[in-house]
Amino acid sequence: MVVLRVPASAAAWSVVAGAARSLTGTVRVVVLRFEPDDASRVQPHAQALQPVVPESASEQVVAAFSRPDLVWVAVLSEAADATVAALAVGCDLRVFSAGASIALSGATAFGGLAALSRLVGYARALELSLTARRMSAAEAHAAGVANLVVDAGQLDAAVADLVAAILATPRVVATETKALLSAGDGAGLQARVARDREATAAYRRLADDWSDGTGESAAPADGAPVSERRR
């Protein structure tokens, strides 16, 4: 098992990408623990939709999350911002402390929207993405986003127990199980990531337009997504 302590900011993607490149074949479980970042705890709606992440880092992280021989576990101990949401949804499993919460509009980036839809269903994924409201740990557990919710004082023990249970499963069985459960995801993964990247860029352009008073003119008359307009 490898534990990565990453900043709760866009820099987390580069940290995870760098660590993923150095993982040896003996590693089976990677635990992501997010360090508090006061600057990113509270985001306005537009910012929650657009974590700014280097393209190369996002591609490397998506590829690492897709490896069937690795199980990625996200650990959330407090309110999660857009960057944490995108990474957490990309992980295989998520453990929340009872006081944690997450705004899943940030999961629209880098293939996360499709993953969110698989976790909670289309209607709830749409509602969470459009409203940017925060989901409590209890609601996240009920919706299938959080696999475990425990008191803050029990978080370390819960993560340790989960990792021990995973490692008790033979490696070949765990690898084949993840591969089978995710069958069909790989073929369209890069296409989804590319589409999500275009949409994220469109969000950013619209946020800029609204900030300077030109937001209405940015909306296409035919109702097509802004990411599909010719530029």
PDB file of all heavy atoms in Angstrom, residues 53-72:
ATOM      1  N   VAL A  53      -6.161  22.373 -14.347  1.00  0.00           N
ATOM      2  CA  VAL A  53      -5.198  21.291 -14.191  1.00  0.00           C
ATOM      3  C   VAL A  53      -4.390  21.138 -15.470  1.00  0.00           C
ATOM      4  O   VAL A  53      -4.957  21.181 -16.570  1.00  0.00           O
ATOM      5  CB  VAL A  53      -5.930  19.960 -13.889  1.00  0.00           C
ATOM      6  CG1 VAL A  53      -4.939  18.807 -13.793  1.00  0.00           C
ATOM      7  CG2 VAL A  53      -6.729  20.077 -12.598  1.00  0.00           C
ATOM      8  N   PRO A  54      -3.064  20.954 -15.366  1.00  0.00           N
ATOM      9  CA  PRO A  54      -2.261  20.718 -16.568  1.00  0.00           C
ATOM     10  C   PRO A  54      -2.774  19.498 -17.329  1.00  0.00           C
ATOM     11  O   PRO A  54      -3.076  18.457 -16.732  1.00  0.00           O
ATOM     12  CB  PRO A  54      -0.859  20.470 -16.002  1.00  0.00           C
ATOM     13  CG  PRO A  54      -0.857  21.154 -14.678  1.00  0.00           C
ATOM     14  CD  PRO A  54      -2.253  20.997 -14.144  1.00  0.00           C
ATOM     15  N   GLU A  55      -2.883  19.628 -18.646  1.00  0.00           N
ATOM     16  CA  GLU A  55      -3.445  18.543 -19.461  1.00  0.00           C
ATOM     17  C   GLU A  55      -2.659  17.253 -19.313  1.00  0.00           C
ATOM     18  O   GLU A  55      -3.234  16.170 -19.199  1.00  0.00           O
ATOM     19  CB  GLU A  55      -3.486  18.977 -20.924  1.00  0.00           C
ATOM     20  CG  GLU A  55      -4.130  17.964 -21.847  1.00  0.00           C
ATOM     21  CD  GLU A  55      -4.302  18.501 -23.252  1.00  0.00           C
ATOM     22  OE1 GLU A  55      -4.590  19.710 -23.391  1.00  0.00           O
ATOM     23  OE2 GLU A  55      -4.141  17.722 -24.207  1.00  0.00           O
ATOM     24  N   SER A  56      -1.335  17.337 -19.306  1.00  0.00           N
ATOM     25  CA  SER A  56      -0.519  16.128 -19.193  1.00  0.00           C
ATOM     26  C   SER A  56      -0.764  15.417 -17.868  1.00  0.00           C
ATOM     27  O   SER A  56      -0.835  14.182 -17.809  1.00  0.00           O
ATOM     28  CB  SER A  56       0.963  16.472 -19.334  1.00  0.00           C
ATOM     29  OG  SER A  56       1.373  17.385 -18.320  1.00  0.00           O
ATOM     30  N   ALA A  57      -0.920  16.196 -16.787  1.00  0.00           N
ATOM     31  CA  ALA A  57      -1.162  15.595 -15.480  1.00  0.00           C
ATOM     32  C   ALA A  57      -2.503  14.889 -15.445  1.00  0.00           C
ATOM     33  O   ALA A  57      -2.641  13.781 -14.920  1.00  0.00           O
ATOM     34  CB  ALA A  57      -1.094  16.665 -14.386  1.00  0.00           C
ATOM     35  N   SER A  58      -3.536  15.524 -16.023  1.00  0.00           N
ATOM     36  CA  SER A  58      -4.862  14.908 -16.010  1.00  0.00           C
ATOM     37  C   SER A  58      -4.869  13.605 -16.788  1.00  0.00           C
ATOM     38  O   SER A  58      -5.466  12.612 -16.360  1.00  0.00           O
ATOM     39  CB  SER A  58      -5.904  15.873 -16.585  1.00  0.00           C
ATOM     40  OG  SER A  58      -5.689  16.115 -17.962  1.00  0.00           O
ATOM     41  N   GLU A  59      -4.181  13.558 -17.918  1.00  0.00           N
ATOM     42  CA  GLU A  59      -4.125  12.339 -18.722  1.00  0.00           C
ATOM     43  C   GLU A  59      -3.417  11.215 -17.967  1.00  0.00           C
ATOM     44  O   GLU A  59      -3.844  10.057 -17.994  1.00  0.00           O
ATOM     45  CB  GLU A  59      -3.427  12.612 -20.047  1.00  0.00           C
ATOM     46  CG  GLU A  59      -4.219  13.509 -20.987  1.00  0.00           C
ATOM     47  CD  GLU A  59      -3.455  13.875 -22.233  1.00  0.00           C
ATOM     48  OE1 GLU A  59      -2.210  13.646 -22.250  1.00  0.00           O
ATOM     49  OE2 GLU A  59      -4.077  14.385 -23.180  1.00  0.00           O
ATOM     50  N   GLN A  60      -2.325  11.552 -17.283  1.00  0.00           N
ATOM     51  CA  GLN A  60      -1.581  10.544 -16.536  1.00  0.00           C
ATOM     52  C   GLN A  60      -2.403  10.007 -15.366  1.00  0.00           C
ATOM     53  O   GLN A  60      -2.372   8.803 -15.077  1.00  0.00           O
ATOM     54  CB  GLN A  60      -0.261  11.132 -16.045  1.00  0.00           C
ATOM     55  CG  GLN A  60       0.728  11.413 -17.153  1.00  0.00           C
ATOM     56  CD  GLN A  60       1.899  12.266 -16.701  1.00  0.00           C
ATOM     57  OE1 GLN A  60       2.176  12.356 -15.504  1.00  0.00           O
ATOM     58  NE2 GLN A  60       2.578  12.903 -17.637  1.00  0.00           N
ATOM     59  N   VAL A  61      -3.137  10.889 -14.689  1.00  0.00           N
ATOM     60  CA  VAL A  61      -3.948  10.450 -13.560  1.00  0.00           C
ATOM     61  C   VAL A  61      -5.097   9.566 -14.037  1.00  0.00           C
ATOM     62  O   VAL A  61      -5.375   8.512 -13.441  1.00  0.00           O
ATOM     63  CB  VAL A  61      -4.493  11.664 -12.778  1.00  0.00           C
ATOM     64  CG1 VAL A  61      -5.511  11.216 -11.736  1.00  0.00           C
ATOM     65  CG2 VAL A  61      -3.349  12.414 -12.107  1.00  0.00           C
ATOM     66  N   VAL A  62      -5.775   9.956 -15.102  1.00  0.00           N
ATOM     67  CA  VAL A  62      -6.870   9.146 -15.637  1.00  0.00           C
ATOM     68  C   VAL A  62      -6.355   7.766 -16.029  1.00  0.00           C
ATOM     69  O   VAL A  62      -7.001   6.744 -15.756  1.00  0.00           O
ATOM     70  CB  VAL A  62      -7.528   9.855 -16.839  1.00  0.00           C
ATOM     71  CG1 VAL A  62      -8.485   8.908 -17.566  1.00  0.00           C
ATOM     72  CG2 VAL A  62      -8.276  11.090 -16.371  1.00  0.00           C
ATOM     73  N   ALA A  63      -5.183   7.708 -16.670  1.00  0.00           N
ATOM     74  CA  ALA A  63      -4.606   6.421 -17.056  1.00  0.00           C
ATOM     75  C   ALA A  63      -4.276   5.576 -15.826  1.00  0.00           C
ATOM     76  O   ALA A  63      -4.513   4.359 -15.814  1.00  0.00           O
ATOM     77  CB  ALA A  63      -3.348   6.642 -17.893  1.00  0.00           C
ATOM     78  N   ALA A  64      -3.746   6.214 -14.780  1.00  0.00           N
ATOM     79  CA  ALA A  64      -3.400   5.476 -13.566  1.00  0.00           C
ATOM     80  C   ALA A  64      -4.647   4.947 -12.870  1.00  0.00           C
ATOM     81  O   ALA A  64      -4.667   3.805 -12.389  1.00  0.00           O
ATOM     82  CB  ALA A  64      -2.615   6.380 -12.618  1.00  0.00           C
ATOM     83  N   PHE A  65      -5.706   5.756 -12.814  1.00  0.00           N
ATOM     84  CA  PHE A  65      -6.956   5.309 -12.202  1.00  0.00           C
ATOM     85  C   PHE A  65      -7.559   4.129 -12.956  1.00  0.00           C
ATOM     86  O   PHE A  65      -8.303   3.325 -12.382  1.00  0.00           O
ATOM     87  CB  PHE A  65      -7.973   6.451 -12.179  1.00  0.00           C
ATOM     88  CG  PHE A  65      -7.721   7.484 -11.099  1.00  0.00           C
ATOM     89  CD1 PHE A  65      -8.490   8.643 -11.057  1.00  0.00           C
ATOM     90  CD2 PHE A  65      -6.743   7.311 -10.147  1.00  0.00           C
ATOM     91  CE1 PHE A  65      -8.289   9.591 -10.070  1.00  0.00           C
ATOM     92  CE2 PHE A  65      -6.525   8.257  -9.161  1.00  0.00           C
ATOM     93  CZ  PHE A  65      -7.297   9.406  -9.123  1.00  0.00           C
ATOM     94  N   SER A  66      -7.257   4.034 -14.251  1.00  0.00           N
ATOM     95  CA  SER A  66      -7.842   2.980 -15.082  1.00  0.00           C
ATOM     96  C   SER A  66      -7.100   1.652 -14.966  1.00  0.00           C
ATOM     97  O   SER A  66      -7.602   0.627 -15.445  1.00  0.00           O
ATOM     98  CB  SER A  66      -7.845   3.420 -16.554  1.00  0.00           C
ATOM     99  OG  SER A  66      -8.567   4.607 -16.721  1.00  0.00           O
ATOM    100  N   ARG A  67      -5.922   1.644 -14.365  1.00  0.00           N
ATOM    101  CA  ARG A  67      -5.156   0.398 -14.260  1.00  0.00           C
ATOM    102  C   ARG A  67      -5.909  -0.625 -13.412  1.00  0.00           C
ATOM    103  O   ARG A  67      -6.252  -0.349 -12.257  1.00  0.00           O
ATOM    104  CB  ARG A  67      -3.785   0.679 -13.631  1.00  0.00           C
ATOM    105  CG  ARG A  67      -2.795   1.315 -14.568  1.00  0.00           C
ATOM    106  CD  ARG A  67      -1.481   1.595 -13.867  1.00  0.00           C
ATOM    107  NE  ARG A  67      -0.928   0.422 -13.165  1.00  0.00           N
ATOM    108  CZ  ARG A  67       0.222   0.427 -12.502  1.00  0.00           C
ATOM    109  NH1 ARG A  67       0.946   1.552 -12.444  1.00  0.00           N
ATOM    110  NH2 ARG A  67       0.660  -0.661 -11.907  1.00  0.00           N
ATOM    111  N   PRO A  68      -6.165  -1.816 -13.945  1.00  0.00           N
ATOM    112  CA  PRO A  68      -6.922  -2.808 -13.179  1.00  0.00           C
ATOM    113  C   PRO A  68      -6.156  -3.421 -12.019  1.00  0.00           C
ATOM    114  O   PRO A  68      -6.758  -3.999 -11.108  1.00  0.00           O
ATOM    115  CB  PRO A  68      -7.262  -3.874 -14.233  1.00  0.00           C
ATOM    116  CG  PRO A  68      -6.200  -3.727 -15.270  1.00  0.00           C
ATOM    117  CD  PRO A  68      -5.869  -2.268 -15.317  1.00  0.00           C
ATOM    118  N   ASP A  69      -4.818  -3.287 -12.020  1.00  0.00           N
ATOM    119  CA  ASP A  69      -4.020  -3.874 -10.947  1.00  0.00           C
ATOM    120  C   ASP A  69      -3.884  -2.945  -9.749  1.00  0.00           C
ATOM    121  O   ASP A  69      -3.262  -3.316  -8.753  1.00  0.00           O
ATOM    122  CB  ASP A  69      -2.633  -4.258 -11.461  1.00  0.00           C
ATOM    123  CG  ASP A  69      -1.854  -3.058 -11.992  1.00  0.00           C
ATOM    124  OD1 ASP A  69      -2.492  -2.150 -12.572  1.00  0.00           O
ATOM    125  OD2 ASP A  69      -0.618  -3.027 -11.833  1.00  0.00           O
ATOM    126  N   LEU A  70      -4.437  -1.735  -9.832  1.00  0.00           N
ATOM    127  CA  LEU A  70      -4.374  -0.787  -8.724  1.00  0.00           C
ATOM    128  C   LEU A  70      -5.772  -0.440  -8.235  1.00  0.00           C
ATOM    129  O   LEU A  70      -6.670  -0.169  -9.038  1.00  0.00           O
ATOM    130  CB  LEU A  70      -3.677   0.505  -9.159  1.00  0.00           C
ATOM    131  CG  LEU A  70      -2.185   0.441  -9.456  1.00  0.00           C
ATOM    132  CD1 LEU A  70      -1.704   1.797  -9.964  1.00  0.00           C
ATOM    133  CD2 LEU A  70      -1.387   0.032  -8.217  1.00  0.00           C
ATOM    134  N   VAL A  71      -5.953  -0.430  -6.931  1.00  0.00           N
ATOM    135  CA  VAL A  71      -7.197   0.046  -6.325  1.00  0.00           C
ATOM    136  C   VAL A  71      -6.887   1.379  -5.652  1.00  0.00           C
ATOM    137  O   VAL A  71      -6.002   1.466  -4.796  1.00  0.00           O
ATOM    138  CB  VAL A  71      -7.749  -0.951  -5.288  1.00  0.00           C
ATOM    139  CG1 VAL A  71      -8.991  -0.375  -4.603  1.00  0.00           C
ATOM    140  CG2 VAL A  71      -8.086  -2.278  -5.960  1.00  0.00           C
ATOM    141  N   TRP A  72      -7.608   2.415  -6.066  1.00  0.00           N
ATOM    142  CA  TRP A  72      -7.402   3.769  -5.544  1.00  0.00           C
ATOM    143  C   TRP A  72      -8.490   4.087  -4.526  1.00  0.00           C
ATOM    144  O   TRP A  72      -9.681   3.921  -4.802  1.00  0.00           O
ATOM    145  CB  TRP A  72      -7.442   4.790  -6.678  1.00  0.00           C
ATOM    146  CG  TRP A  72      -6.305   4.654  -7.641  1.00  0.00           C
ATOM    147  CD1 TRP A  72      -6.202   3.756  -8.671  1.00  0.00           C
ATOM    148  CD2 TRP A  72      -5.103   5.432  -7.667  1.00  0.00           C
ATOM    149  NE1 TRP A  72      -5.006   3.920  -9.330  1.00  0.00           N
ATOM    150  CE2 TRP A  72      -4.312   4.944  -8.747  1.00  0.00           C
ATOM    151  CE3 TRP A  72      -4.618   6.490  -6.899  1.00  0.00           C
ATOM    152  CZ2 TRP A  72      -3.073   5.484  -9.059  1.00  0.00           C
ATOM    153  CZ3 TRP A  72      -3.378   7.034  -7.222  1.00  0.00           C
ATOM    154  CH2 TRP A  72      -2.620   6.529  -8.275  1.00  0.00           C
TER     155      TRP A  72
END
